[in-house]
Amino acid sequence: PHLYIISTMDTADRYVEALHTALRRRFTFAEMLPNPSKLQRKIIDAVDLTLLLETRNERIEVIVDSDHTIGHAFLIDIKSIDELRNAFAHKIIPLLQEYFYGNYRKMEMVIGSSFFNITEANKVKFAVQSEDFDADGKIYQILNISDKTIMTDEAFIQALQKLMSPE
């Protein structure tokens, strides 16, 4: 009677889905969705982290579902543009790659094209045409945003601002 267990679980991870189902039958769960108010309108170098979280998650929810939204914990302790860059490069972008199974076109819909080097692939000639494959004619490469020679602080801030207010 004196044992109280608190645990967290990422329901978006489909590898643990069977375990998740088994645990739900035995324990009480409280859903904890991303909470933008925890960021308290924190602004880092003209980037509103609350708006950044809300905008990104609205898009993820439409493309995938609410189980795949990204929590406020990734941004809650951010104090500088370098920390924000690090969170994007090493946490948020890899998570989006996992969510979209390498479909960079969908990732582009969420974070914008500033995080990619996009080249036209219309010169590629396939051996045969397939009706079940629709090539959009683009090759995507994610920029190494950790490297400031590839993406300066100004370019990173501009990319985030475009993410929050697309044209």
Side-chain angles (χ1 to χ4, degrees):
H2 300 290
L3 179 63
Y4 190 69
I5 299 173
I6 297 176
S7 180
T8 63
M9 179 173 231
D10 181 0
T11 60
D13 190 348
R14 298 302 174 207
Y15 295 111
V16 296
E17 197 165 10
L19 175 64
H20 179 250
T21 302
L23 290 172
R24 279 201 176 274
R25 288 191 302 244
R26 292 166 179 84
F27 297 98
T28 301
F29 278 72
E31 185 175 40
M32 308 235 0
L33 295 172
N35 187 350
S37 69
K38 297 286 184 188
L39 299 174
Q40 302 170 342
R41 287 288 176 201
K42 186 186 291 188
I43 296 174
I44 305 291
D45 288 342
V47 176
D48 183 336
L49 298 187
T50 304
L51 182 60
L52 181 66
L53 179 72
E54 290 171 341
T55 305
R56 188 188 59 223
N57 280 340
E58 284 172 354
R59 295 172 186 166
I60 292 170
E61 191 169 358
V62 169
I63 296 171
V64 189
D65 58 37
S66 62
D67 281 344
H68 288 80
T69 54
I70 298 174
H72 55 275
F74 285 111
L75 302 174
I76 204 159
D77 291 327
I78 302 292
K79 295 178 184 69
S80 69
I81 198 65
D82 286 334
E83 289 178 1
L84 183 56
R85 177 191 295 270
N86 187 52
F88 252 81
H90 302 292
K91 296 177 183 176
I92 295 168
I93 288 177
L95 192 55
L96 291 172
Q97 286 177 290
E98 182 181 326
Y99 284 175
F100 296 117
Y101 305 105
N103 185 333
Y104 295 131
R105 193 171 181 193
K106 287 184 179 177
M107 281 181 62
E108 181 187 19
M109 291 172 66
V110 173
I111 61 175
S113 36
S114 299
F115 292 94
F116 299 93
N117 180 24
I118 303 171
T119 55
E120 296 297 321
N122 53 6
K123 294 179 182 175
V124 175
K125 303 295 182 210
F126 293 99
V128 295
Q129 295 298 327
S130 176
E131 291 179 18
D132 64 344
F133 179 73
D134 182 27
D136 66 358
K138 293 182 181 180
I139 297 173
Y140 292 83
Q141 289 180 311
I142 296 176
L143 294 176
N144 178 3
I145 63 172
S146 296
D147 186 342
K148 290 186 179 190
T149 62
I150 293 174
M151 183 178 268
T152 65
D153 283 345
E154 293 78 20
F156 179 64
I157 291 167
Q158 204 170 32
L160 293 176
Q161 289 172 336
K162 281 184 184 178
L163 185 163
M164 293 182 293
S165 58
E167 295 142 10

